[in-house]
Amino acid sequence: MAVRLLQTHDVSDLCIGKPALRWLPPSSTVADAVADLEGAAAAAIAVWDGEEGSDVVGRVCMADVLLFLCAGANLASPAAALQATLSDLLVAGAPPPVRRIEPDASVLEAVDSLLGGAHSLVVPIRERWRRASRGELCWLTVEDVARFFLSSIGLFSPTASRSVSDLGVVRPATLAVASGDTALSALPLLRAAMASHASVAVVPGGMFPRRLAGEISPSALCSCDVSVAAAIAAFSAGDLLGYIDWGGAPTEARLHAVRSRLRRRNLIGMLHLLYGVDPSYSCSSSSSSSSSSSDDDDGDGKSCVASPCARRGKRGLFSARAMGRRPAAEAIVCHRGSSLVAVMVQAMAHRATHVWVVEEEEEEERELVGVVCLLDVLRVLRHHPHQLTPI
């Protein structure tokens, strides 16, 4: 019955009500993508030439942009990096592939594409009463497919009621960074997390190396604006958690902390980015004036606000709670004995693609055991007929 469900339902059933994806051609700049991602609060931009039948060459979200701005030489010259093309960004990040799938393909084919390495799928939007596509595409993600499975979870019994440990879907939590380490040191881990629909755990280190303090997730970064690249360059992983979650207009105390660290590291370009860089403005031309005032470390921020890189209109940071997103310090957790269906419900309720597995201890002392990713859940349910051995 379970396999028949996946074979008889078309991918178009999962795309009902989905909006057309937003796209930009590969020759567009990173600044163009930022304007789309911030202005329309789009989750991701497709890199595509817009021609019907042509391939979507990549998918860019705000997390991709932030990692690109903080990588290598871009760290010193973020304004120049904003003028790079989306093709440059994709090459630098080596993102996982986007795969096209037809709306009349089976859900089983979509699942196999995701399990085969596709990070996300693009599906032509097709009117039910027409055979022809309107030339528009929509995204189909791991979360969309998992939601479909969850809506028919009774067909996957007794597998769904078994524990995640018993089913072997608990991965080692290898993507972890100590809270005292620099946030920049977490960039390679974040790239790996994005490819595997996971997140980077933040642990205290020291005497308690495996206590879960929070997470830096790609979805949290996607809810930020481009100025958070300056915080990534300045802060430790632990401090970044609070900066991402902190709501309202930035206080001078917080801006002063970022400003001071960026000046000590001579990252003047990132300093301009913090206050809103006009991407067409070359920060190198004003670095001398900013440097001359960098000794004014009293936290009033006047030197930066008065610089040619003046504050521009942008959405700024919003608190996690105000946006309906859980704070980074409140990672979603389960236990080894949690059932597969319970973990799926947790992930769907919090719009997450993973759930951390911890020992059953007090919340402030929870020991990190591993992580359950939705992709591994789909793998188990895809092979449901082979998982019917009694517990």
Side-chain angles (χ1 to χ4, degrees), residues 346-360:
Q346 278 185 286
M348 293 294 97
H350 295 280
R351 302 178 65 183
T353 57
H354 62 280
V355 177
W356 299 105
V357 184
V358 298
E359 292 287 2
E360 300 194 31

Side-chain angles (χ1 to χ4, degrees), residues 89-312:
L89 184 151
L90 291 176
V91 170
V98 172
R99 195 165 298 165
R100 177 186 172 116
I101 190 168
E102 295 304 317
D104 55 0
S106 69
V107 173
L108 186 63
E109 292 178 63
V111 173
D112 287 342
S113 293
L114 292 170
L115 295 179
H119 181 269
S120 52
L121 308 175
V122 290
V123 184
I125 295 177
R126 183 172 295 172
E127 301 288 359
R128 282 189 172 274
W129 57 87
R130 295 179 182 172
R131 295 292 298 173
S133 168
R134 297 178 299 178
E136 295 179 326
L137 304 172
C138 68
W139 293 116
L140 190 66
T141 65
V142 167
E143 301 98 292
D144 296 322
V145 178
R147 194 172 294 110
F148 174 80
F149 274 89
L150 188 59
S151 68
S152 305
I153 200 65
L155 296 177
F156 297 91
S157 179
T159 301
S161 62
R162 297 172 67 179
S163 72
V164 290
S165 178
D166 186 49
L167 292 169
V169 295
V170 180
R171 290 189 186 188
T174 55
L175 301 179
V177 62
S179 59
D181 291 346
T182 65
L184 288 173
S185 68
L187 297 191
L189 302 179
L190 277 167
R191 290 198 184 280
M194 292 175 69
S196 59
H197 306 277
S199 185
V200 176
V202 179
V203 296
M207 293 180 61
F208 306 100
R210 302 304 295 174
R211 297 283 170 82
L212 182 62
E215 65 174 1
I216 304 174
S217 70
S219 62
L221 295 180
C222 286
S223 299
C224 299
D225 70 17
V226 71
S227 68
V228 172
I232 294 174
F235 280 140
S236 67
D239 289 339
L240 183 63
L241 292 181
Y243 195 89
I244 292 173
D245 288 340
W246 174 69
T251 63
E252 275 305 321
R254 286 191 178 264
L255 290 177
H256 175 66
V258 181
R259 197 161 57 229
S260 298
R261 298 183 194 191
L262 292 176
R263 284 170 174 165
R264 284 199 298 269
R265 299 176 187 180
N266 199 31
L267 295 176
I268 304 303
M270 281 292 175
L271 188 63
H272 293 315
L273 192 67
L274 179 66
Y275 284 92
V277 177
D278 177 354
S280 65
Y281 181 83
S282 171
C283 285
S284 61
S285 64
S286 65
S287 60
S288 58
S289 61
S290 294
S291 298
S292 64
S293 60
S294 64
D295 292 333
D296 179 17
D297 218 5
D298 58 3
D300 61 6
K302 292 180 181 178
S303 61
C304 288
V305 175
S307 72
C309 291
R311 182 186 298 272
R312 73 177 190 276

Side-chain angles (χ1 to χ4, degrees), residues 17-50:
K18 276 188 162 290
L21 55 76
R22 300 177 68 88
W23 60 273
L24 289 170
S27 59
S28 299
T29 66
V30 175
D32 294 331
V34 168
D36 258 25
L37 291 167
E38 289 187 340
I45 299 294
V47 183
W48 183 40
D49 61 14

